[in-house]
Amino acid sequence: MDMQVSLLDRLFDAGLLIETGVDGLYGRSGQFEDVIAGFERLIDRFGGADGAEAIRFPPGMNRAFFEKSGYMKSFPQLAGTVHSFCGCELDHISLLKCMDEDGDWTEGQKATDIVLTPAACYPLYPTIARRGKVAQTGALYDLQSYCFRHEPSKDPARQQLFRMREYVCVGTQEHVTDFRQSWMDRGLKMMELVGLDVEIDVANDPFFGRAGRMLANNQRDQNLKFELLIPVTSSAKPTACMSFNYHQDAFGAKWELALEDGSVAHTACVGFGLERIALALFAHHGLDVKQWPEHVRTALWG
Ligand code: ATP
Ligand code: ZN
């Protein structure tokens, strides 16, 4: 934990991250953003020729889609919902009175139709399901979104609002697993270009509760999730900076995504944790980007 607090403090002192008073909720400096922009251009250089359709959703999604996704079954501890005041003038008076008395004014808030996006790809599946069948040769999407996860922490690599860049592939089992493998290879090459030591390992999602442990074991046994790990605050416990997920036909079945031949589509996604990659770069090469090795600067900024 000490290494995490110390990196966080150093980032605050250098002005790269800006404190808000809430763990995991930070402002970013222009310099920090410039590193992310440079890394995103590197992603484009590797993935741009694949012809993915780019879509940018805002960081909130349709609550009905969120409910149908089953997120609350698997990760209720991480979800964030948007609530608003929906009352009349009398309710407003009691709201202000409650706030004056330091009461829990949030009790009167009502759920809106918007939920904070938990992963960049969640709004995509219902969107493409509406479009009808997917070409037999598959489809590819390029996404980026701020995501919310309620996991407050002093570890700068575990934020509550952070960005995920994702490529999502829809198609046959062979097509989407080939896609996933090609990004594991690309991920290794990209990190080598920016001078970071990495390893790829099998992983699992943080499923909730006792039943969740079984789901996590199952996910590992079937090699459904891999992570690219980079030391950020600890070399013994490196941080997952990319993940490579094969969903089998789970999202295809859930959202009735079919290929032209009528078979249920398989899906896979690769996600880049953009803040985590920037933090890995700062932790490894130092907080002053002017001092970074020339080959790293060239990879990011040309
Ligand atoms: P972890 O095991 O570290 O909680 P995860 O398995 O929940 O990560 P994914 O759901 O695969 O992560 O998310 C895709 C990517 O988003 C991760 O590889 C990581 O780089 C990034 N990410 C996930 N959670 C956070 C967070 N709280 N703060 C910053 N980046 C995150
Ligand atoms: Zn995803």
Side-chain angles (χ1 to χ4, degrees):
M1 178 52 98
D2 277 346
M3 286 282 287
Q4 298 173 349
V5 175
S6 102
L7 178 63
L8 186 60
D9 283 341
R10 289 197 299 126
L11 291 159
F12 287 156
D13 288 345
L16 288 162
L17 290 184
I18 293 122
E19 225 173 333
T20 68
V22 177
D23 289 341
L25 182 72
Y26 310 118
R28 290 99 165 96
S29 72
Q31 184 61 264
F32 192 91
E33 289 301 289
D34 207 29
V35 171
I36 289 190
F39 194 83
E40 284 213 83
R41 281 193 300 273
L42 186 62
I43 299 175
D44 294 336
R45 289 222 298 279
F46 275 77
D50 298 347
E53 176 185 343
I55 306 181
R56 297 292 179 263
F57 290 103
M61 66 179 284
N62 183 331
R63 172 154 68 101
F65 292 159
F66 172 85
E67 286 163 1
K68 185 168 167 183
S69 77
Y71 196 82
M72 290 308 275
K73 268 195 209 130
S74 299
F75 314 108
Q77 78 282 18
L78 299 176
T81 48
V82 177
H83 284 62
S84 277
F85 170 75
C86 303
C88 61
E89 284 190 44
L90 262 178
D91 298 321
H92 185 216
I93 291 167
S94 15
L95 168 77
L96 295 181
K97 185 163 171 280
C98 177
M99 289 181 90
D100 269 349
E101 292 164 354
D102 284 334
D104 184 2
W105 63 274
T106 61
E107 272 178 0
Q109 300 278 101
K110 292 243 167 25
T112 67
D113 288 335
I114 297 176
V115 168
L116 296 174
T117 303
C121 61
Y122 268 63
L124 178 74
Y125 307 108
T127 304
I128 52 177
R130 279 181 174 169
R131 294 181 178 175
K133 287 190 172 154
V134 175
Q136 206 61 32
T137 47
L140 187 63
Y141 305 90
D142 163 351
L143 311 172
Q144 199 253 49
S145 176
Y146 259 101
C147 300
F148 175 86
R149 293 185 184 178
H150 186 236
E151 43 185 1
S153 166
K154 296 275 185 211
D155 178 356
R158 189 167 295 286
Q159 304 192 3
Q160 298 200 63
L161 275 160
F162 58 94
R163 273 158 295 177
M164 234 184 249
R165 173 81 180 265
E166 278 198 46
Y167 284 103
V168 180
C169 185
V170 184
T172 61
Q173 164 166 9
E174 195 190 1
H175 181 84
V176 308
T177 51
D178 283 353
F179 153 86
R180 183 173 73 150
Q181 183 59 51
S182 74
W183 273 105
M184 288 201 240
D185 301 338
R186 285 171 172 181
L188 291 173
K189 285 201 194 99
M190 294 172 72
M191 299 309 172
E192 193 187 321
L193 278 177
V194 294
L196 294 173
D197 294 330
V198 306
E199 54 181 295
I200 288 185
D201 202 358
V202 68
N204 61 267
D205 285 311
F207 293 104
F208 184 76
R210 215 174 324 146
R213 266 205 295 282
M214 269 164 54
L215 292 172
N217 289 337
N218 185 38
Q219 195 181 25
R220 279 178 176 268
D221 291 346
Q222 297 191 67
N223 286 340
L224 297 181
K225 184 181 185 85
F226 288 94
E227 286 176 339
L228 182 149
L229 305 158
I230 313 179
V232 178
T233 51
S234 146
S235 14
K237 272 194 151 193
T239 300
C241 292
M242 281 186 77
S243 71
F244 312 88
N245 307 287
Y246 172 40
H247 317 121
Q248 300 169 302
D249 63 359
F251 286 136
K254 159 118 10 217
W255 296 106
E256 294 178 49
L257 279 170
L259 301 181
E260 273 163 346
D261 68 1
S263 61
V264 180
H266 286 236
T267 60
C269 68
V270 299
F272 293 84
L274 296 176
E275 281 75 11
R276 285 188 178 177
I277 292 168
L279 291 166
L281 287 164
F282 283 113
H284 198 79
H285 299 308
L287 300 192
D288 181 0
V289 300
K290 292 196 286 302
Q291 307 292 325
W292 288 7
E294 207 45 49
H295 74 275
V296 175
R297 294 177 51 84
T298 306
L300 292 173
W301 294 294

